[in-house]
């Protein structure tokens, strides 16, 4: 993490909590406008900036979808296993799907069924698996591997291949994890933008300038949307509002924008009115789960280097 001064440990925990909460807030905010166009959103809401539920899933205000639920399942599996345990993560996903979640993507469902039936921890490679379903659940991986990029790279791909085995998905998962690492460690918005530009230079399919304007579940569209609104705004709230008002796969673009913006701006950047509207079962569990993950990350072994 070049040119980034290590922050106080409590600031790291704060940003980790905000990253995980950001996923839930972006999910709950964006689910309302999922599958709508930007024009339809403008006609119906003017600007959609409140957590009100509804949308195509007819959600309750503050209710979250698969983006948050799969992230929480993975975080629980790590905590309950006391280590990275891919089979335990897959078991958690299986139990979650059997519970008939309010929303689940087709590729995720197919991969989880593959595990249930064949006990396989990896789906075959497929050019059709370049969706954002593996990327959307990256926050526990990023927090748990803080301080160890090799573990991040390995775990990001392992969890992705439970449902999505595609090089574009893999690249996005790894890089978003690295962005979270850098943001939690104190990188600025400009520093994150420089990293993103280097990533785009290596993977031109993710180029976001000029913004193509697509916000579908295709992972390249998702990454472009998140980058565009993260780097064209200066607050958590502005980033998420602009992201979800683009429509498309807005719960996932919102969740991912929330993950990065939360890691960047910290808990104080989270709008209190949104936090209050979030499902209390989520808002009561997620901060503690985030804290557990960073407190058991490789970086936590060097806590004595930080000022408390």
């Amino acid at each position: 993490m070049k040119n980034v001064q290590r922050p106080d440990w409590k600031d790291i925990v704060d940003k980790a909590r905000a990253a995980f909460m950001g996923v839930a807030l972006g999910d709950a905010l964006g689910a309302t406008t999922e599958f709508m166009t930007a024009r339809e959103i403008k006609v119906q809401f003017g600007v959609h900036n409140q957590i009100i539920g509804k949308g195509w899933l007819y959600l309750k205000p503050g209710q979250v979808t698969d983006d948050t639920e799969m992230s929480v399942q993975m975080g629980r599996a790590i905590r309950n296993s006391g280590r990275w345990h891919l089979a335990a993560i897959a078991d958690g996903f299986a139990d979650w799907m059997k519970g008939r979640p309010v929303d689940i993507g087709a590729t995720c469902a197919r991969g989880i069924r593959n595990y249930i039936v064949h006990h396989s921890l990896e789906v075959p490679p497929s050019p059709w698996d370049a969706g954002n379903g593996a990327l959307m659940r990256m926050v526990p991986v990023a927090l748990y591997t803080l301080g160890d990029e090799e573990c991040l790279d390995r775990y990001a791909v392992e969890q992705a291949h439970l449902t999505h085995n595609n090089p574009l998905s893999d690249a996005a998962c790894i890089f978003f994890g690295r962005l979270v690492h850098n943001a939690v460690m104190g990188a600025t918005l400009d520093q994150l933008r420089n990293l993103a530009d280097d990533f785009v230079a290596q993977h031109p399919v993710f180029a976001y300038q000029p913004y193509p304007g697509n916000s579908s579940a295709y992972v390249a569209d998702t990454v472009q949307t998140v980058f565009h609104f993260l780097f064209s705004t200066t607050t958590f709230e502005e980033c998420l509002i602009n992201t979800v008002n683009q429509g498309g796969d807005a719960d996932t673009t919102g969740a991912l924008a929330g993950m990065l913006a939360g890691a960047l701006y910290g808990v104080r950047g989270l709008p209190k009115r949104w936090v209050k509207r979030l499902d209390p079962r989520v808002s009561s569990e997620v901060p503690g789960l985030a804290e557990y993950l960073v407190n058991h990350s490789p970086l936590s072994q060097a806590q004595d280097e930080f000022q408390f």
Side-chain angles (χ1 to χ4, degrees):
M1 301 178 190
K2 297 178 181 179
N3 301 320
V4 177
Q5 184 178 359
R6 284 187 172 184
D8 185 271
W9 183 259
K10 62 185 178 183
D11 291 333
I12 290 174
V13 173
D14 175 273
K15 290 193 169 193
R17 290 161 65 100
F20 214 143
M21 281 291 289
V23 170
L25 292 171
D27 182 5
L29 184 71
T32 304
T33 57
E34 187 180 14
F35 299 140
M36 297 178 71
T37 67
R39 182 176 179 82
E40 288 170 341
I41 295 166
K42 187 174 182 179
V43 169
Q44 182 168 341
F45 298 105
V47 175
H48 172 56
N49 60 9
Q50 303 292 341
I51 292 180
I52 59 172
K54 302 180 181 178
W56 77 279
L57 292 169
Y58 300 98
L59 300 176
K60 298 176 182 177
Q63 188 175 359
V64 296
T65 71
D66 50 347
D67 306 82
T68 305
E69 290 173 346
M70 293 190 82
S71 298
V72 168
Q73 286 292 338
M74 191 187 306
R76 289 173 180 165
I78 296 169
R79 181 195 62 200
N80 295 344
S81 300
R83 61 187 178 91
W84 180 259
H85 191 336
L86 193 61
I89 293 170
D91 285 337
F93 288 169
D95 290 342
W96 168 74
M97 190 173 78
K98 291 174 183 177
R100 297 185 178 182
V102 66
D103 188 26
I104 183 171
T107 307
C108 286
R110 185 170 62 248
I112 296 169
R113 281 195 295 268
N114 178 67
Y115 172 73
I116 293 171
V117 174
H118 302 291
H119 305 289
S120 173
L121 294 172
E122 184 173 28
V123 295
S126 172
W128 308 109
D129 285 357
N132 57 22
L135 178 60
M136 72 183 187
R137 58 184 191 242
M138 268 299 297
V139 69
V141 182
L143 300 182
Y144 188 61
T145 60
L146 190 64
D148 191 333
E149 287 192 350
E150 289 185 4
C151 277
L152 166 64
D153 295 357
R154 184 169 71 253
Y155 296 167
V157 171
E158 286 182 358
Q159 71 83 24
H161 287 188
L162 288 170
T163 55
H164 295 67
N165 191 340
N166 180 278
L168 290 183
S169 171
D170 292 350
C173 287
I174 290 169
F175 185 66
F176 269 57
R178 291 186 179 178
L179 286 179
V180 172
H181 280 194
N182 279 270
V184 167
M185 292 300 294
T188 65
L189 183 62
D190 285 341
Q191 288 170 326
L192 295 184
R193 183 187 292 111
N194 290 337
L195 291 173
D197 290 344
D198 290 343
F199 174 70
V200 168
Q202 298 173 32
H203 305 278
V205 68
F206 296 111
Y208 65 99
Q209 293 178 315
Y211 175 48
N214 302 317
S215 53
S216 76
Y218 174 45
V219 72
D221 290 347
T222 296
V223 170
Q224 290 166 349
T225 297
V226 173
F227 283 177
H228 172 70
F229 291 114
L230 178 67
F231 298 132
S232 63
T233 57
T234 56
T235 67
F236 180 94
E237 182 173 353
E238 184 186 14
C239 175
L240 265 66
I241 289 174
N242 289 3
T243 299
V244 304
N245 277 271
Q246 184 65 26
D249 198 17
D251 61 333
T252 297
T253 57
L256 289 166
M259 177 179 75
L260 296 180
L264 179 64
Y265 298 114
V267 169
R268 282 179 292 183
L270 308 181
K272 293 181 180 178
R273 72 183 190 281
W274 290 354
V275 174
K276 290 179 180 178
R277 292 288 278 177
L278 196 61
D279 184 334
R281 293 170 297 181
V282 175
S283 58
S284 63
E285 179 178 12
V286 160
L289 202 52
E291 188 167 352
Y292 173 89
L293 293 169
V294 292
N295 280 337
H296 291 79
S297 69
L299 191 65
S300 68
Q301 300 173 12
Q303 284 189 36
D304 59 326
E305 297 180 22
F306 296 85
Q307 296 178 357
F308 287 84

